[in-house]
Every structure is written in C-alpha cells, then in structure tokens.
Amino acid sequence: MSERVEASSLRSSRADVWDLKEIIFGTRERRRRVKIITQNFNGPCSFIAICNILILRGDIQIQPYERTSVSYEFLSQLVGEFLLLSCAEPGIDISAALSVMPTTTKGLDLNPQFTAVDSFRPGEGGGELQLFSKAGIRLLHGWVVDPESPAASVLSRVSDYDSAVTLIADADHITKGKLLLSDAFDDPNVPGPSRSDTQRSAAESGSVVAGPSNQPNAEPSNHSHFEPRGPSETYSEQDRHKIESALVAQGFLNSTQSQLTYYGLFQLVAAVEPGSLVALFRNSHLSVLHKPEGEDSALYTLVTDHVFLHEPSVVWERLEDIDGGWSTFVDCDFVKSSPVGGDFAGQTAEAAVRAHEVAAGVGDPTDHELARRLQAEEDARARQLYLQRERQRAERQRSQASGDGESRKTRKAKDNKCIIM
C-alpha cells in the first residue's frame, strides 16, 4: 500500500512540472527555434495549449533557453504578466481572465454549441472566454451539426452540450429510466419483447435494428427511430415531444463521440486563416490548431504528448478525419515524419531505464525532492534574470525620456537667452 501511495504522490508532484521540446516554427525570416511544453500524466491541456500558442507567437519567452523543464508557477507568472501588459489600457478589466487562470490546471467548462465553430456557452461569469479573449487567442471547435441534416432542427433548439445532457436526463426521468434502455415508446400494457430485447435478438442474429448508431459516420434523424407496438397513453404530447427530442440529441452525441463532425471539420478549414494559431476544443481536450501559409490548406494540431519528447521529427499531426483513423505525423516543414520509435527514443540506455522507472512510479523519493529543489532554484534564477532585464529596459526608457526632456529644456533656455547653471 505504501508503495502505491508513494507512486501516486510522485506522479502528482511531477504533474506540475513539464518537459520542454525544441521545434522549429515559422517561415522565411520568422523561422526560429522555440521550446514548446509537453504534456505528461494527463496534464492540464487547457493551460498548456494557451502557453504554447503564446510561445509560438512570441508573446512569452521561457528563459534561459537552455532549461529542459518548466513549472506551473513559473508559467502562470509569465502568462499573468503578459495579460497585464497587453491589457494595460485604462478601462480594460482582466480580473475575470486572471481569476479563471488557476482553473485551467483542472479543466475548463467551455460547453460548445452545436450551431457554429466559434460558439460556446460556459457557466456563470464567462471567465473562460475572457481568458482567451484577453490573450488574443481564438477558441474553436468542430462539434457542429450539418444544417441540412434531419437532426438540425432539434439540435438548433437544444443548442449546446449541457442543454442536451439536461434534456436527456429529463426525458429519462419521464420514462422512468427507459430512455437510456432504448424502450421509451414500448407500451407496458402490450405483451411482447421490449425494444432492448428486440435489439439483443437482432444483434445475436446479425441483423440491423433502426436506432441511434454509435458509428462515427452515422447521421442522427429528427425523429425517435422507435415505433410503438401499440397505442400508448403513458406520455402526454408535451412529454412525447421532449422524449423524441432527447432521442435525437442522444443519437447525435452517440454518433459524434470524437466531438467532431465532417461538417464541423469543413467549417474549421474555412474559419482558420493561413498562418494563424487557434485553440481547438475536441475530445474534451484543448490543443493548438494551425494552418500553414502557402498552398497547403490542411489543418494541423501541435503534438505535445510526452511520449514524443525525443522524436524531433514529430511536430504536427494532420487533422484529416473525425476519428483520427487517418492521422499523419509531420515534421516542422509539414513533411511526413519518420519517428525513431519508442517512448524513450533518443535517450541512452541508462536514461531510458531511469525514465521508465520514474514513469512507473518507482524510485528514491530523495531523488525526486532533489529534482524539485533544483527546479525551484532554476525557476528563481530565471525569474531574477527576467526581472533584471525588465529593470534594464525600464531604466533605458527613463534615460531616454530624461534625455529628451533635458534637450527640450536646453532649446528653450537658448531661445530665452538664459544660461542653465
């Protein structure tokens, strides 16, 4: 038991420190080497995506460049200072954006709407959207229903994910739990097999039963798919309408479990400007989405998985379909990559063994404490270097302003034929 607790504690403490990976980003004169943040132990994808976009745009810099890892405390200071400096004009309130930033380590309640790639309906306050707005980061998703599909009329009324879940829960309560068993319209007074029994029999015989499909390419209909086996007076007209709408919403959620539709994918291609970097919500995950400049109109997501830390040729993943079955890894020039292979590729045998032990939660706790102390010292040195540079920059600005003021005073004194002692 103690070993499990120790392994869990090790993973938890390491989750706040992320390794950096060097890549090449940009074209022509803007081409440069940068270090992006990789995600380990199912880390905070929202915060990492925001930081990586700011890094690739050059809005924040991780100093010194030689460092190999970075902590949340260090990054949060950089992002906070960037927000304060970029929104320094009077009248601009960034309190909502700053207050929501700590929650990015646990996940954001974005609640996408099914009607447009840039529509979200978060919870109270809307600080999540304020964070992206103040950082100048466009937030998109591809979980959009085709307006020409039969389900569009229902989903346009349901509008968003949270409302869809609430509708399904309400309808399931009305049917006393039958909705999720797919026999909501069975007449309890008519003898015979239930809808779920019919589905099981069809599955065993190899036949197909009409109903919401779990296949990604399935298109939900705008009606229930369920025909009653006899006249039923169990539900009122209003309840029947709610149940039918809930079945359509449930069918849509089941058929789009990757939280991306082909219609949404086409809309993303049209919405993302060449050369831009946006945040993509998909699979309850936030990633960096990019469309290169030039003839290539494809979309690419930044590969930040820690298993590719030592794969320099794996930088982007081409977004080609809705379920990832045809995904292609490419390098910094968007050429198909040839990974070396393995979670610890590029490391020595000793380093690979040690990395495997750490990943498995095995190791001396004192080593980990030493690593944390060294990381804290590195953060402090980097912070001191940053503050020193800021003071020097501010001093140069004051000197320049003072010099301009003295020049104006001298010119005025000469005009008045006065001597300044």
Side-chain angles (χ1 to χ4, degrees), residues 9-326:
S9 176
L10 179 61
R11 286 177 178 269
S12 177
S13 56
R14 281 184 58 84
D16 293 334
V17 177
W18 308 298
D19 291 323
L20 300 175
K21 176 182 178 179
E22 185 181 64
I23 68 169
I24 299 176
F25 179 72
T27 57
R28 296 184 292 275
E29 66 276 0
R30 292 177 297 174
R31 189 176 177 88
R32 67 191 189 281
R33 292 183 178 274
V34 296
K35 285 193 174 181
I36 62 170
I37 307 163
T38 62
Q39 182 178 353
N40 56 354
F41 300 120
N42 196 26
C45 60
S46 302
F47 184 69
I48 290 177
I50 292 172
C51 291
N52 279 331
I53 289 177
L54 296 178
I55 289 172
L56 293 176
R57 292 194 323 201
D59 293 327
I60 63 174
Q61 294 182 355
I62 298 177
Q63 300 291 343
Y65 186 81
E66 293 74 20
R67 68 187 303 158
T68 58
S69 61
V70 69
S71 65
Y72 167 76
E73 288 79 10
F74 178 77
L75 287 174
S76 62
Q77 289 179 353
L78 284 182
V79 176
E81 290 169 356
F82 165 74
L83 292 174
L84 291 171
L85 292 175
S86 61
C87 302
E89 298 180 8
I92 298 181
D93 184 14
I94 64 169
S95 57
L98 292 175
S99 63
V100 81
M101 194 165 66
T103 64
T104 58
T105 61
K106 305 299 181 183
L108 296 176
D109 178 19
L110 296 175
N111 189 23
Q113 294 183 265
F114 303 132
T115 52
V117 295
D118 57 353
S119 295
F120 295 84
R121 186 176 292 169
E124 297 181 1
E128 293 87 351
L129 299 186
Q130 287 293 320
L131 176 59
F132 290 93
S133 175
K134 300 307 181 185
I137 298 175
R138 194 178 182 193
L139 179 62
L140 300 176
H141 72 93
W143 206 359
V144 183
V145 62
D146 187 343
E148 301 297 326
S149 70
S153 59
V154 173
L155 291 171
S156 62
R157 294 195 304 270
V158 175
S159 180
D160 58 83
Y161 173 75
D162 287 354
S163 299
V165 172
T166 301
L167 173 64
I168 294 171
D170 290 345
D172 190 57
H173 177 73
I174 293 172
T175 62
K176 295 180 174 60
K178 293 181 179 180
L179 179 74
L180 299 181
L181 295 176
S182 302
D183 57 359
F185 287 130
D186 284 348
D187 190 341
N189 300 317
V190 178
S194 68
R195 175 66 185 177
S196 54
D197 293 336
T198 305
Q199 284 182 317
R200 284 194 293 270
S201 299
E204 292 171 359
S205 63
S207 60
V208 178
V209 179
S213 170
N214 288 329
Q215 297 301 320
N217 295 331
E219 186 66 43
S221 176
N222 66 339
H223 54 80
S224 65
H225 286 289
F226 297 99
E227 297 296 335
R229 293 181 286 104
S232 174
E233 299 178 356
T234 305
Y235 312 120
S236 67
E237 186 64 27
Q238 181 179 1
D239 286 345
R240 289 180 65 86
H241 178 71
K242 176 174 284 189
I243 295 169
E244 291 175 356
S245 298
L247 288 169
V248 174
Q250 185 181 16
F252 178 75
L253 295 182
N254 287 340
S255 63
T256 58
Q257 294 182 8
S258 65
Q259 300 178 355
L260 179 65
T261 65
Y262 278 112
Y263 179 79
L265 181 57
F266 296 147
Q267 292 297 303
L268 286 173
V269 173
V272 180
E273 296 291 334
S276 63
L277 295 160
V278 303
L280 174 66
F281 174 86
R282 182 192 178 192
N283 277 335
S284 300
H285 180 85
L286 213 61
S287 57
V288 179
L289 186 66
H290 177 58
K291 179 191 287 186
E293 296 180 276
E295 298 180 357
D296 188 1
S297 61
L299 298 177
Y300 297 88
T301 57
L302 184 66
V303 178
T304 58
D305 197 307
H306 187 264
V307 300
F308 296 106
L309 176 64
H310 300 286
E311 294 280 8
S313 66
V314 177
V315 179
W316 302 94
E317 182 179 5
R318 188 182 177 99
L319 187 60
E320 298 179 272
D321 59 7
I322 63 175
D323 58 3
W326 296 94

Side-chain angles (χ1 to χ4, degrees), residues 307 311 340-345:
V307 300
E311 294 280 8
V340 176
D343 291 353
F344 309 110

Side-chain angles (χ1 to χ4, degrees), residues 352-380:
V353 171
R354 183 58 180 167
H356 175 72
E357 290 178 348
V358 172
V362 179
D364 188 351
T366 58
D367 292 343
H368 178 65
E369 290 301 323
L370 177 60
R372 286 182 61 85
R373 187 167 65 254
L374 292 176
Q375 179 68 47
E377 293 175 357
E378 186 177 0
D379 287 347

